[in-house]
Every structure is written in structure tokens, then in C-alpha cells.
Amino acid sequence: MHHNGVEDEEKWLAAGITGLQQNAFFMHRALDSNNLKDALKYSAQMLSELRTSRLSPQKYYELYMRAFDELRKLEIFFKEETKRGCSIVELYELVQHAGNILPRLYLLCTVGSVYIKSKEAPAKDILKDLVEMCRGIQHPLRGLFLRSYLSQVSRDKLPDLGSEYEGDAETVSDAVEFVLQNFTEMNKLWVRMQHQGPAREKEKREKERSELRDLVGKNLHVLSQIEGVDLDMYRETVLTRVLEQVVNCKDEIAQCYLMDCIIQVFPDEYHLQTLETLLGAFPQLQPSVDIKTVLSRLMDRLSNYAASSAEVLPEFFQVEAFVKLSNAIGKVIEAQDDMPVIGVVTLYSSLLTFTLQVHPDRLDFVDQILGACVTKLSGKGKLEDSKSRKQVVALLSAPLQKYNDIDIALKLSNYPHVMEYLDNGTKKEMASVIIQSIMKNKTLISNSEKVEALFELIKGLIKDLEGNLQSELDEEDFHEEQNSVARLIQMLHNDDPEEMLKIICTVKKHILAGGPKRLPFTVPPLIFNALKLIRRLQNRDENVAEEDTPATPKKIFQILNQIIEALSSVPVPEVAMRLYLQCAEAADDSDLEPVAYEFFTQAYLLYEEEISDSKAQVTAIHLIIGTLQRMHVFGVENRDTLTHKATGYSAKLLKKPDQCRAVYACSHLFWVDDQDSIKDGERVLLCLKRALRIANAAQQMANATRGSGGSVTLFIEILNKYLYFFEKGVTQITVASVQSLIELITNEMQGENATPDPTADAFFASTLRFIQFQKDKGGAVGEKYEAIKV
Amino acid sequence: MVLVLALGDLHIPHRAPDLPTKFKSMLVPGKIQHIICTGNLCIKEVHDYLKTICPDLHITRGEYDEETRYPETKTLTIGQFKLGICHGHQVIPWGDLDSLAMLQRQLDVDILVTGHTHQFTAYKHEAGVVINPGSATGAYSSITYDVNPSFVLMDIDGLRVVVYVYELIDGEVKVDKIDFKKTTASANSAH
């Protein structure tokens, strides 16, 4: 049936156009020959095509436009007729003899246009007559187009302020009255369409209504263009009457469209000044009207208005815009009990944007909005749909973006409460947003209360939340997430040591609850923060620190110990060992021998018991030796114990070359330049000899397994160490020992079993060059090296 | 004229949140031909960021690096210069010039770039140069107090290298430069 309907419509439209064109043709002939009678006859026939009931609005519009064009020509003709002596009054009378009412009224409006232009009668009288005559057409579609025609031809003839049609007796009020009346009647016709026809075609009707809505809305546009409509007139007359019609028509489609129209068409200053009236209409609208969208758009417009210039802001304060909007929203939400969550959040979002724009300094307003949101969300449990979640994230992100200062968000007491309604996934998303905001603005968070509040907000990242299935995230995302927390920890700082310690303790409390997966990421940054604090305390005058101040290096080291110990639950022994060594060095700087010794003990324990991978052991032993070499706080006994163990570890590494290198590295433990008590040449030599033995053993093993000599590189390295200590003046390193080592290497390299090794060759060559270089220096150095023959 | 960026010891995120903003705005992609990094980035994000500045990235392993497969040492040739990279925690005593000189001899390089101490240094000795670009983020170091963020840019031109060091001191970037000249061109044979 429908398919046939469309085809038929096409046919009818075609027929209508044909009929129109035919009559137009004859009308033109009549116009050309100044035949008024025929002109009227054929134009009436032409306009009869518009009497059809068969066309949908789109098609009717096509027909209407053609008629419109033809009527323009007719209007010109009428004008010329009056010049030729025809009385406009008579003409006005004459056209009313047309047989059918619709053509009659189109012609009347056309003549009326000329009549007004002639100024033979006041514009207001003619307009009034026309607008009332149009009541003769009660068919919605035809009536709407007819009145639309009236609006179009009268547009430039209204008695507006400063127009040629203004007079003593006629004023802007009359213009306004005319347009209001036309609007009212058009709206009534439009609403009537809703109830025409069978119920099953409701959807079709509503679609058609939608196509016609701009015809009705145009009137509001015209009103907004009338110069003489100032704020007072708008407030007293225009808005009141329009709202009256909107409310009384009780039609959902009309109300929604027209409220929005009012908001879009009239200036924002007017809205501000009539805010109460405007908002007062909302509760009176049909319950099914999508008020939240309209209200949101109003607030968005006002936000943009506020953003346009600082000069308009006082207006907002003066009319107490925030209070009015906030109340209105409250009322709407209360009235629409079943409003979906997304609606509530959208409304508050728009209000928040508005508030951030107009009252950025009123954190109490911002907090109030969040509080109202919380109240409305309570009892609904966690948000289910992604749109609502997105909207809440947008709501919470707005203050962050506006203020660029996390401190302010932390001051909003309701902020964390809103977050409670997010599911765990979205909570984490929001936490990331917060961290990114902090990192971007490089704001430092400066006291423990703020840190506490912040970590509460981001707790989704810090620990597992209830109901959270572990590892929803893939590993890479999890790493990124935790690394962002680590970076955040770097942003917590206060110059006052007491406060900084409080901050550290607060962070410690939170991260220790994070579980083994998170600790490797969160513990190191906290440790280093604490080490930085300790260094600051060292610079402080010793006498200033009192007995009972909590922030002393000793106390902080205790805390550090506890934190690093937590890593054993993961476990990550290599990281923990590094951190212990770092603490040992810091304790050394603070002259705390027992503390430093304790850290070394812990590090050694981890090495012995937990670090078994050979590569990891090599690195670990170098870190141990390197750290120990720098320590100056140890007494002889302690140092000896630690050194002895270190050399023991070195000799027990898995691979011989690694053993060799670690052992000769240990030689430095016995000779420290800036500590005269550590200059034991005897033990230096012992280490180097031991390294040599290991190198020899490695060489023999290579011979046995491969049948050819292994690399001489180790020997060359040891030679370089001999030279190092030789130059330092270690008496036990004699010229003879250096010389024999050089010979050994030379022999090995030239021997039968030697494998070609360009790297070793180059190394040896540059070592020999070095010796020559030192000789050439002359003076004391040159003398020393003189005896060595290369 | 070849520009080589040398930097290291960023320790992101363990000891520093990010590179200083002023450094980041200077490190524009496309201007640098090679990057030499002494290690301790420590995370993949930093690696990826450095790659955007220049795809030819050479890194050695620092003891806190997340990626354990970076090499302990690396050598490369740029123009007439042989460069060697090593983080430096392997060379004991840490920061000791003579011990580093031994490594330089072992790697047989003209320029040794090394880190670990977070202290910018540039030493010339016998036939070579040892450069430490410091810590690009000014990260905490147990060895050096009051670390200023720093990095090095080497301009290699024929037998000459100009070493520019950029240091962030009290919020301002200060530049210094040191000239080095090789006496002879690199030979291909061992001598």
C-alpha cells in the first residue's frame, strides 16, 4: 500500500504542477495584456492546486514554492494596476470574490502587501485583518503554508522601530502583536496534526510534523529580528505570550522544539534577565519532553556567552544565574523520577561547565554540584552503561582541566564520593586522567593530607579493589599504569623535612597494600625520594636537629629497611639488593656505621641465597665491590669481614673469566686513594696474583678442550691493573713483575697454539703505547716507567 | 658534520618523572644523526621516546634498566672516530679515570662515553677522550651530590670533534664546549 502511496504522490504532484503551470501561462497572458479580470480568474485557478489534501509536506512545499514565485509576478502587476488608477481598496475587495477560500486568501495577502506599501491605510489594520482572515483555513497543512506566506510577504512591512511603516498610532507593539498571533495560530494548526488520522499512522504523522516545524519556528525568528523588541518588551510581552502558548498547547513535540527555538533564537543577555521566567516554564511542560537536553543546551549557550567576554560576567552575578539554574535542575530531576542516570549526569555536567566558566572561584558551587550528583546517584549502585560512565569521567575531568591544579580538585569534598559510583575499570581510567593532569602541569603535591586524599582517589591503580578479577589488563598496559604511579611519586615534595617524612610514610602505607605485582614499580621511587630527604638532612646543621624530631636519617633508614623488606614478598632480590646498597652508601654519608653494616649484611644475604643466575651474579658482585670500595665509615674489623666475603664471592663465580675480573676488581678494595688507612699493597698484590692464577687456569682449560690457546685478553687486563697500582706507587708491584707479565703475554701471543685475536692485539698494542706515553712524559712519571722495556 | 647526542642515567621513573621540559623542546626529531646512551633509562617508554628523536640509537645496559638484553659495551665508528659506550658500573673504582682509560684501551676507541656517576666530565688523556654526559634528568646519585641535568652533543667533523655540554642550572640551560682533535686518521689495520 505504502509503495503505491509514494508512486501516487509523485503522480499527484506532477499533476498539480502541470495544472499550476497551465494556469500560470494564462495568467501571464492576462498580465501582459493588463487584463485584471482574467488575471484574477487564472491566478485563482492556479492557486486551487494548493487545495489538495493528497500531498505530504515535502511535496506540498514544492507546489507551494512554484505558486509563491508566480504570486510575486502577480504582486508586481497589482502594484502597476494601482499606478494605472485602480484603487487598492477596490482591489482588496475584488479579490475576495474568488470562489474558493484558499485561493481567495492567498490573493488577499498578495494584495494586502501592496496595500500596506501604498500606505493608504495603517499597516497594523491591514495586518490584523489578514491574520484574522486566515482563520478560515483550519486544515493544518494548508493553513501552515498560507500563514507562512503571510509571514513572508509581511516581513519587511512591519511597523518596526525606525521603519517607514511606523507612525503615531502604530508601533512596534502592533508588529509584535501581529507576529504573535500568527505564531499562535500556526502552532495550534501544527499541534492539531498530531491527532489527525488513525493511530497506526502516528509515526508517519510525527515525521511530517517534524518536517514542518521550521515554519512555526520562523515566527520566533522574526520576533527576534524586530528592532523595537527590547529587553522590556521581550520580558513583558514576547516571552510571556510565547511561553503561554508553549505550555498550553500541551504537545510534546511542539514544546520540545519551541523551547529550544526560544533559547537559540533570542540573545543570551535576554535569557539571563528572564532566567526565572524561562526556567519556570520547564516544570509545566509535558513529562515526556526531553527537558534535560534543552536545559543542557541553555546552559551551554550561557557558558559560551560567559566565555565570550569578561565584561558580561557581572550580569551573571547580578541575576544569580547559578542559584536559579541549580534550583531548576533540582526541580526537573525531582519531577522526572525515572530520568535515566545519563540524563542526570548530563545536566550536572552542563551546570558544572557553566559554573567553571562563570564562577571559577566558587569552589563551593562546584562542590555543591558534585554533591547533588552524588545524592541523585545514591541508591542506584555502580553505573552500568558506558555512556553514563563516559559522562561521569567528563564531569570529573572538567575541574582538572579548568584549574590545572590538583590541589583544587582535592579540596572538593564530594569529588571522591562521585568516583565511588564508577565501576573499577572506570575508576582506574579516572585515576590515570588525574595522574596525567598532574604530570602535565608539573604540580608538586606538598603535604601528607593532600597525598592521602590523592591516593584515595587513585586507589584503583594502587591496589586491587574488591570484586576486581586480577589481571584484566595485559602486561604492557599494567606496566604503563604502574610506571605512571612511579612518576607520580616523584611529584610529591615539601622542603620541610618533617612534612616530607609524613608524605613518605603516607605513600608507604598505601603502596605496601598494593600486592606483589605492584611493589617492584612503586617501592624504588619511594626509596629514592627518602634518600633525597636524607641527603637534605645531612646538609642541615647537626645542632638544629633535636632529639625528638621524627625526621632524622637514622629513623628514615629504619623505615627504608621496612619498605625494602616488603620486596621479599614478590620476590625481586636483584632490585632489593641494589636498594640495600644504595642505602648503605647513604648511611656511609651520614656516618652511621652500624646502619651501613646492616644494609650490607642484607645485601650479602640476598646475594648468597637469592641471586643464582650467573649473569645477575656478575653484575651484583660488581655493585657490591664498587659500593664497598667507596665506603669510609667502616672500622677495620667490619671492613675486613665484608671485604673477605666479597673476594670469596668473586672467586666462586661460575665462569673463570668472570672470576678473574671480579677478583682483580677486589684489588681496589685494598687501596683507596683518599683513605690512608686503606693502602695495603700486600693484599693488592695477592688479589692480582690470584687473578693471574685464575687466568692461567682458564688458559689451560681452553688448551685442553679446544687444543689451542684461549684469549690472552685477561692477561692484558691484569697487566693494566699492575700498571695502575705501579703508577700509584704500590711498592709490592715491582718493575720485574710488570716486565714478566709483558713477556708472558708476548709469548702467549706468538706461541704455536695461539689463535689470532685482533682485539687482544689491539688492546696489547695500546697498552704498550700507554707505557711509552708515560715514559715520554718525563719527570717523576717518566722515571718510574723508564725501567719497563716494551 | 655529524651530530651525535650522548646522554644517560635518566632513571625514569625510579628517580625522576621526566626529562626537563627545556631539554625536551631542544631535542627535536630529525636534527641528530646518532644517539649514544650510557644506560639506566630505565623503561621502554624512554627507549621509544629516544627513537623518535633519532632512529639510530645505541644503548648499553645500566644496572637498573628494565631491558636486560642491552649489551655491556658497544663500539661504533662515526666518520674518523671510533666510539665506545659502557654504562660504567662495571669499571671499578667508579668514575676513576685511569680504570676507564684501561677500558678505552681494551675497546680501542678514540672516544669512550660512559656514565653511572651522574657527573658531567670530559677528559683528554694520551690518545683519547673520556666523556660522561651526566644525568639527563638530574637524577639522584649516591656518588654525586647536587646533580644538574645535563647531556652532550658531539659535532664530528673530519679529525675534529666539538663537544657541547648542555646543563640545566637554576632553570636556565647553559652551554659549554670543548674541542678535541685526532692527530692521525684511523688506520684499518691493528697498528
Side-chain angles (χ1 to χ4, degrees), chain A residues 612-673:
Chain A
S612 48
D613 172 77
S614 63
K615 201 166 164 231
Q617 279 185 339
V618 172
T619 309
I621 199 63
H622 278 105
L623 294 176
I624 287 173
I625 299 171
T627 310
L628 187 54
Q629 198 266 345
R630 293 171 47 78
M631 306 292 278
H632 64 258
V633 77
F634 289 133
V636 172
E637 223 182 273
N638 277 341
R639 193 178 174 95
D640 272 350
T641 313
L642 294 174
T643 307
H644 179 74
K645 280 207 158 164
T647 44
Y649 296 153
S650 304
K652 294 205 199 73
L653 287 170
L654 185 64
K655 301 184 189 149
K656 290 234 177 294
D658 293 330
Q659 284 176 13
C660 179
R661 292 184 171 114
V663 165
Y664 74 56
C666 285
S667 64
H668 290 282
L669 292 174
F670 301 106
W671 193 277
V672 181
D673 270 340

Side-chain angles (χ1 to χ4, degrees), chain A residues 398-466:
Chain A
L400 294 176
Q401 283 155 6
K402 174 74 187 177
Y403 296 115
N404 284 331
D405 185 355
I406 189 65
D407 273 1
I408 300 205
L410 293 175
K411 285 201 190 112
L412 299 167
S413 64
N414 286 311
Y415 199 92
H417 297 152
V418 177
M419 279 191 68
E420 280 308 309
Y421 288 97
L422 295 171
D423 64 299
N424 291 339
T426 321
K427 270 202 186 101
K428 289 212 277 183
E429 196 189 311
M430 197 58 224
S432 289
V433 169
I434 292 172
I435 294 182
Q436 270 166 37
S437 165
I438 296 171
M439 300 314 299
K440 186 174 86 115
N441 299 313
K442 306 218 181 299
T443 39
L444 295 179
I445 294 130
S446 60
N447 70 45
S448 57
E449 283 92 29
K450 286 184 201 163
V451 172
E452 179 69 47
L454 176 62
F455 272 65
E456 256 309 302
L457 283 182
I458 64 172
K459 68 184 174 201
L461 299 181
I462 306 293
K463 60 182 183 204
D464 293 335
L465 302 171
E466 333 85 57

Side-chain angles (χ1 to χ4, degrees), chain A residues 184-439:
Chain A
T184 307
E185 294 304 316
M186 282 177 84
N187 194 38
K188 286 185 190 162
L189 290 170
W190 190 41
V191 169
R192 190 176 308 150
M193 277 181 79
Q194 186 70 18
H195 310 288
Q196 274 183 321
R200 59 182 150 80
E201 286 185 3
K202 178 165 163 234
E203 221 177 280
K204 178 174 163 224
R205 277 202 300 280
E206 289 187 350
K207 180 170 173 290
E208 289 183 353
R209 281 195 65 192
S210 174
E211 288 165 8
L212 291 166
R213 67 186 191 183
D214 285 339
L215 293 183
V216 182
K218 194 80 197 295
N219 292 291
L220 297 180
H221 191 69
V222 170
L223 282 170
S224 76
Q225 300 284 330
I226 297 178
E227 290 278 346
V229 174
D230 59 2
L231 177 58
D232 285 328
M233 179 163 288
Y234 174 76
R235 196 200 338 246
E236 250 110 84
T237 314
V238 175
L239 185 62
T240 323
R241 291 273 296 277
V242 171
L243 282 180
E244 203 184 301
Q245 173 54 215
V246 168
V247 169
N248 290 345
C249 75
K250 292 196 181 2
D251 174 76
E252 178 199 329
I253 294 179
Q255 287 181 341
C256 193
Y257 171 70
L258 289 173
M259 285 306 285
D260 200 46
C261 220
I262 295 170
I263 291 166
Q264 301 303 330
V265 146
F266 291 103
D268 297 310
E269 311 112 88
Y270 285 13
H271 294 319
L272 264 185
Q273 298 295 334
T274 57
L275 203 50
E276 209 151 356
T277 315
L278 189 59
L279 295 175
F282 280 100
Q284 300 176 59
L285 301 178
Q286 300 301 106
S288 48
V289 173
D290 184 13
I291 295 176
K292 65 179 188 322
T293 310
V294 180
L295 251 183
S296 294
R297 280 155 73 97
L298 172 63
M299 285 187 282
D300 291 342
R301 267 196 81 97
L302 293 177
S303 294
N304 289 335
Y305 180 49
S308 66
S309 135
E311 285 163 12
V312 308
L313 287 179
E315 279 177 55
F316 283 84
F317 307 149
Q318 183 229 341
V319 305
E320 292 188 325
F322 172 79
V323 173
K324 293 193 177 130
L325 286 168
S326 168
N327 286 342
I329 293 175
K331 285 208 191 95
V332 165
I333 292 178
E334 218 179 282
Q336 293 190 358
D337 212 24
D338 56 349
M339 186 189 287
V341 169
I342 176 94
V344 175
V345 180
T346 310
L347 274 171
Y348 283 120
S349 257
S350 297
L351 183 60
L352 182 63
T353 311
F354 170 85
T355 311
L356 289 174
Q357 194 64 260
V358 175
H359 300 286
D361 53 324
R362 294 296 297 266
L363 288 184
D364 56 329
F365 283 172
V366 177
D367 208 15
Q368 204 181 316
I369 298 171
L370 295 176
C373 223
V374 170
T375 314
K376 197 53 202 170
L377 289 175
S378 70
K380 295 210 197 243
K382 302 239 195 263
L383 296 176
E384 287 300 320
D385 68 297
S386 69
K387 276 206 182 127
S388 303
R389 291 184 201 151
K390 276 207 179 99
Q391 194 61 42
V392 172
V393 170
L395 179 79
L396 292 173
S397 300
L400 294 176
Q401 283 155 6
K402 174 74 187 177
Y403 296 115
N404 284 331
D405 185 355
I406 189 65
D407 273 1
I408 300 205
L410 293 175
K411 285 201 190 112
L412 299 167
S413 64
N414 286 311
Y415 199 92
H417 297 152
V418 177
M419 279 191 68
E420 280 308 309
Y421 288 97
L422 295 171
D423 64 299
N424 291 339
T426 321
K427 270 202 186 101
K428 289 212 277 183
E429 196 189 311
M430 197 58 224
S432 289
V433 169
I434 292 172
I435 294 182
Q436 270 166 37
S437 165
I438 296 171
M439 300 314 299

Side-chain angles (χ1 to χ4, degrees), chain A residues 439 442 476 479-480 482-483 486-488 490-491 520-521 524-526 528-529 531-532 535 538-539 575 578-579 582 585-586 589 615 619 621-627 629-630 661 664-665 668 673 713 716-718 720-721 723-724 727-728 758-759 761-763 765-767 769-770 773-774, chain B residues 11-22 24 43-46 48 61-66 68-72 82 87 89-109 116-117 125-127 138-147 190-191:
Chain A
M439 300 314 299
K442 306 218 181 299
E476 216 181 284
H479 283 201
E480 216 181 290
Q482 291 305 308
N483 280 329
R487 287 191 213 225
L488 175 67
Q490 305 294 341
M491 307 302 287
F521 295 92
L526 184 59
F528 284 107
N529 253 2
L531 289 176
K532 284 187 222 175
R535 192 167 276 175
Q538 279 163 7
N539 295 335
V575 175
R578 281 155 177 68
L579 295 175
Q582 289 280 341
E585 262 191 283
D589 290 337
K615 201 166 164 231
T619 309
I621 199 63
H622 278 105
L623 294 176
I624 287 173
I625 299 171
T627 310
Q629 198 266 345
R630 293 171 47 78
R661 292 184 171 114
Y664 74 56
H668 290 282
D673 270 340
T713 308
I716 307 174
E717 290 176 34
I718 297 170
N720 274 270
K721 284 296 161 191
L723 290 170
Y724 176 97
E727 193 166 325
K728 295 268 180 220
T759 327
D761 290 345
F763 188 12
S766 57
T767 308
R769 270 203 304 277
F770 165 71
F773 196 81
Q774 298 298 77
Chain B
H11 287 283
I12 295 171
H14 300 143
R15 308 188 200 182
D18 204 356
L19 270 169
T21 324
K22 289 203 170 167
K24 271 185 142 171
I43 52 179
K44 185 171 174 295
E45 282 166 23
V46 182
D48 293 341
R61 190 178 76 92
E63 78 274 33
Y64 284 91
D65 273 313
E66 182 183 73
T68 50
R69 290 170 301 180
Y70 296 141
E72 299 286 317
K82 285 196 281 191
H87 177 250
H89 64 270
Q90 307 93 328
V91 179
I92 290 160
W94 291 336
D96 180 80
L97 176 61
D98 296 318
S99 300
L100 288 170
M102 165 177 141
L103 178 62
Q104 184 156 15
R105 292 192 281 274
Q106 184 162 9
L107 296 177
D108 193 29
V109 291
H116 189 55
T117 63
H125 67 97
E126 349 152 2
Y140 171 90
S141 160
S142 56
I143 301 168
T144 310
Y145 278 48
D146 296 323
V147 182
H191 297 305

